[in-house]
Amino acid sequence: MDRISLPTFGTLMISLTLPILLICTVTYLKTLYRFHVSIRKLSNRRGEPVTFQSPPLIPYAIPGLGSTLSFSNQTVGSFWGYLRKQASRYHQDAFSVVIAGKLTHFIFSPSGVASVFKSRHLTRASLDRQLGVNALGMSTLDSFIAFPDNPAENSSVTTERLHSEHLLSSAAVNLLTTKFMETFTTHLDAEDGLDDGIQVNLYEWLWPRIFRASTTALVGETLLDMYPDFEHDYRTWEDNLLALLFGTPRFFVRHAYRARDACVEKLSNWLLAISHRRATNEKSDTHDPDWTPEEGARIMRKRHVLYAERRLSVHAQAGWDLVFLAGIVSNATPAAGWLLLHILSPTSAPEFRPRIMEEVQACQRADGSLDVLALTRAPRLNAAFHEVLRLYVDLIVVREVGSSGAVGVHKVGRGDQVMAPTWMTHRDPKLFEDPDTFNPDRFLTMDEETGKIGYSATGRTGAYFPFGGGHYMCPGRVFAKQEVLGTVAVLLLNFQIDFVEFVKMEKGNWKMAGVNEFPGIKKGFAGGQVVGIEGDMRVHIKRRGSKLS
């Protein structure tokens, strides 16, 4: 009998690879054909009455995966650059892509983005639940309790109402800003080395100081007293938030899951300590203070009442507090960093820093204190703040289609995703001249009669939306602005800060960079909001006079 020959390893690989290649090739050719058919239909209808049609579907080769790998590119702006080229080539203002098996419509014309904000059949509940489970460690049941489809039907008080009354109101914002400034300046006063002057990497030095002041203003002093190392777990979690949100397996980002679990555990213990204090407090005190060292601002206590009403587990309450804290503090810190880097950089226009200094000095009262409300009206400082948000915000407004219909002129189906990315409009040369250049003057205005300089970020509906828009606009936006401007003003007024050199991280150590190597954008997933800072600026910082407190 003849011996049966076994296939070699190479033969097996070929037999497995060829069918996969064939499937990918056929998939790509089919989607490429449909793409061009869709483009042709849209081109032929120009000038005719508006008819609703789904945006052209970007061709892809791998079934189910679609454009997931391209979208997951860690070079911030890479995917948006690709979409912009396609938009320019085919004269489109929206595209559809398949991401992890889900049909997603990217809409990036100002009118289309405005329609996303106004649409009544778009929701965020399912994405919030995904955030709850993946990034906050909630159980599936708790995620539905925390983020119901129809919150008004499940609770007498909504988070939106609480935020409106206790976070966006002038009294609430002023309280948070006052506590932030008090804590920030107290920490600076405690640093004796600043009297003689020290050299620091500016953003590396700044981050923990802003974080501690912001956290104290929002949740009080007790959390950081209980866990002085909380900021380290938090920063690791924050840096990996999108990786967790997208469900990256634990094997690949163990440190992110460890940080998430540590943050939630510490917040859980803090909540239990607060609860125990309430239970053992014999006083029947009906007074509702603006802020307490144990629980922070009133908004936190009101949210905790809401948690109890919904009967959330302590673990889920801690997760929800974690993301609320992130929404208030995470974007303000890099925004302050970017703004200071540009003000202090030798690569900026020579007149930029002196003009900013002139404005912040005008906002200083006779007793040396800052008029923060005056800061929010300073034209050049505010123009620079908005230019930072235009240039460095990579926000994706994400909604799920609750019922089939249209968003603007774009047809969408139930269960589809709709995304409106800031990068596509904020860096569109048709909307912002020379869009990749930091130029605060684009937000300046001039009164023709008086010649007085002002600033304006309005009149750009759908083109400029760093805080999102519509029903889900960021509730911490007013405090964040005052936080950033207050940080910058305190440092510029009270410290002599001199540029030394740009630095970059190489193999775990800071190395000198070129004199013109302004820090770049840190790698990360698309949609990270205010993008991280890659590199830093070495500065010499010295206290100008007496301490601040």
Side-chain angles (χ1 to χ4, degrees):
M1 179 179 290
D2 295 334
R3 180 179 296 176
I4 299 175
S5 60
L6 295 175
T8 64
F9 177 76
T11 304
L12 280 173
M13 289 299 297
I14 292 172
S15 64
L16 291 172
T17 303
L18 285 178
I20 294 173
L21 289 175
L22 181 60
I23 291 171
C24 291
T25 301
V26 170
T27 300
Y28 179 73
L29 292 175
K30 285 174 64 176
T31 56
L32 180 66
Y33 172 76
R34 290 173 184 171
F35 175 76
H36 284 286
V37 168
S38 181
I39 292 290
R40 193 175 302 114
K41 284 182 179 179
L42 288 168
S43 299
N44 292 339
R45 290 179 183 178
R46 274 197 198 111
E48 296 181 4
V50 173
T51 55
F52 300 111
Q53 183 173 326
S54 297
L57 177 63
I58 294 291
Y60 60 91
I62 306 175
L65 199 60
S67 300
T68 306
L69 296 179
S70 298
F71 180 69
S72 301
N73 190 311
Q74 295 285 289
T75 301
V76 176
S78 174
F79 183 74
W80 307 130
Y82 165 74
L83 274 193
R84 183 178 293 125
K85 287 180 181 178
Q86 303 309 307
S88 176
R89 180 179 180 182
Y90 296 108
H91 308 289
Q92 300 299 310
D93 56 13
F95 286 112
S96 298
V97 301
V98 172
I99 299 179
K102 198 171 187 71
L103 185 60
T104 301
H105 309 288
F106 285 105
I107 297 175
F108 43 83
S109 68
S111 60
V113 172
S115 297
V116 171
F117 295 152
K118 295 175 183 176
S119 179
R120 294 181 178 273
H121 62 284
L122 300 180
T123 177
R124 206 179 68 179
S126 63
L127 181 72
D128 286 340
R129 290 193 286 267
Q130 180 181 334
L131 172 76
V133 173
N134 293 348
L136 309 179
M138 290 184 182
S139 68
T140 301
L141 175 61
D142 273 329
S143 75
F144 273 89
I145 296 172
F147 307 112
D149 289 316
N150 300 297
E153 298 177 7
N154 293 275
S155 175
S156 61
V157 180
T158 64
T159 53
E160 290 76 17
R161 195 176 307 156
L162 291 183
H163 294 164
S164 177
E165 295 175 6
H166 304 293
L167 186 58
L168 285 166
S169 68
S170 296
V173 171
N174 291 340
L175 181 278
L176 283 168
T177 303
T178 299
K179 294 305 298 184
F180 169 80
M181 298 290 281
E182 285 178 0
T183 309
F184 186 59
T185 54
T186 298
H187 287 168
L188 291 176
D189 282 347
E191 298 188 41
D192 294 331
L194 294 174
D195 292 333
D196 297 323
I198 55 174
Q199 279 197 16
V200 296
N201 293 336
L202 181 63
Y203 187 63
E204 182 185 35
W205 175 84
L206 185 66
W207 191 95
R209 288 155 181 80
I210 295 181
F211 176 79
R212 290 172 205 149
S214 300
T215 302
T216 300
L218 186 65
V219 305
E221 300 168 348
T222 301
L223 174 65
L224 295 182
D225 286 344
M226 291 174 64
Y227 300 107
D229 63 341
F230 180 74
E231 67 186 62
H232 301 294
D233 294 321
Y234 176 88
R235 194 169 191 182
T236 301
W237 172 81
E238 179 191 89
D239 286 345
N240 294 276
L241 177 58
L242 291 181
L244 292 168
L245 175 63
F246 296 149
T248 306
R250 185 182 290 264
F251 175 80
F252 295 105
V253 285
R254 292 185 188 277
H255 62 295
Y257 283 94
R258 280 196 296 266
R260 180 199 70 181
D261 296 343
C263 285
V264 171
E265 180 183 3
K266 290 171 181 178
L267 283 165
S268 296
N269 292 337
W270 170 67
L271 286 166
L272 289 171
I274 292 171
S275 179
H276 178 73
R277 180 181 178 277
R278 287 201 203 102
T280 56
N281 190 350
E282 296 179 359
K283 294 181 180 180
S284 178
D285 189 0
T286 58
H287 180 56
D288 187 18
D290 293 331
W291 186 91
T292 67
E294 297 80 17
E295 205 167 355
R298 183 183 290 129
I299 179 62
M300 296 305 298
R301 297 198 301 283
K302 296 297 183 181
R303 285 178 63 93
H304 293 162
V305 170
L306 175 65
Y307 298 168
E309 179 185 305
R310 294 192 182 180
R311 299 185 178 181
L312 277 171
S313 69
V314 173
H315 187 85
Q317 292 180 36
W320 208 356
D321 273 350
L322 177 60
V323 77
F324 183 60
L325 176 64
I328 298 299
V329 307
S330 290
N331 291 307
T333 312
W338 285 116
L339 182 51
L340 277 168
L341 287 171
H342 277 286
I343 291 172
L344 300 171
S345 175
T347 62
S348 295
E351 69 277 6
F352 180 47
R353 180 175 179 177
R355 287 175 175 174
I356 295 293
M357 281 297 301
E358 182 180 346
E359 287 191 343
V360 297
Q361 287 167 348
C363 296
Q364 192 172 29
R365 300 186 181 98
D367 64 357
S369 63
L370 263 174
D371 185 342
V372 178
L373 289 180
L375 282 177
T376 65
R377 297 188 290 267
R380 295 188 185 279
L381 178 62
N382 281 268
F385 170 73
H386 284 288
E387 180 67 349
V388 162
L389 298 187
R390 183 197 69 81
L391 194 59
Y392 297 114
V393 167
D394 180 24
L395 169 70
I396 307 176
V397 174
V398 185
R399 304 286 186 268
E400 186 172 69
V401 181
S403 59
S404 298
V407 176
V409 299
H410 307 294
K411 183 179 177 181
V412 295
R414 181 179 180 181
D416 293 352
Q417 281 188 146
V418 173
M419 295 189 180
T422 56
W423 198 276
M424 294 295 289
T425 56
H426 285 197
R427 292 180 178 241
D428 186 338
K430 296 191 294 294
L431 301 173
F432 296 97
E433 184 179 354
D434 197 10
D436 296 324
T437 299
F438 181 81
N439 177 21
D441 289 357
R442 70 176 85 246
F443 286 101
L444 291 178
T445 61
M446 179 179 288
D447 187 303
E448 294 182 0
E449 294 184 4
T450 65
K452 186 176 180 180
I453 295 292
Y455 83 95
S456 176
T458 60
R460 302 173 186 267
T461 304
Y464 176 71
F465 51 103
F467 298 107
H471 183 63
Y472 298 103
M473 184 177 286
C474 174
R477 60 190 180 275
V478 183
F479 171 53
K481 179 177 179 178
Q482 295 192 8
E483 186 182 4
V484 171
L485 300 187
T487 296
V488 170
V490 163
L491 292 175
L492 292 180
L493 287 171
N494 296 283
F495 299 90
Q496 178 62 42
I497 308 176
D498 297 312
F499 172 83
V500 176
E501 62 188 9
F502 290 121
V503 293
K504 58 185 177 181
M505 182 68 74
E506 288 185 358
K507 298 180 180 179
N509 296 306
W510 289 105
K511 303 289 186 181
M512 183 177 68
V515 68
N516 294 315
E517 285 195 40
F518 188 84
I521 293 174
K522 191 175 183 179
K523 289 185 178 296
F525 287 104
Q529 300 194 36
V530 179
V531 294
I533 299 172
E534 183 73 31
D536 211 332
M537 176 191 290
R538 189 86 174 157
V539 299
H540 183 271
I541 179 169
K542 181 179 180 181
R543 200 184 315 276
R544 290 184 189 274
S546 60
K547 293 186 177 182
L548 304 172
S549 299

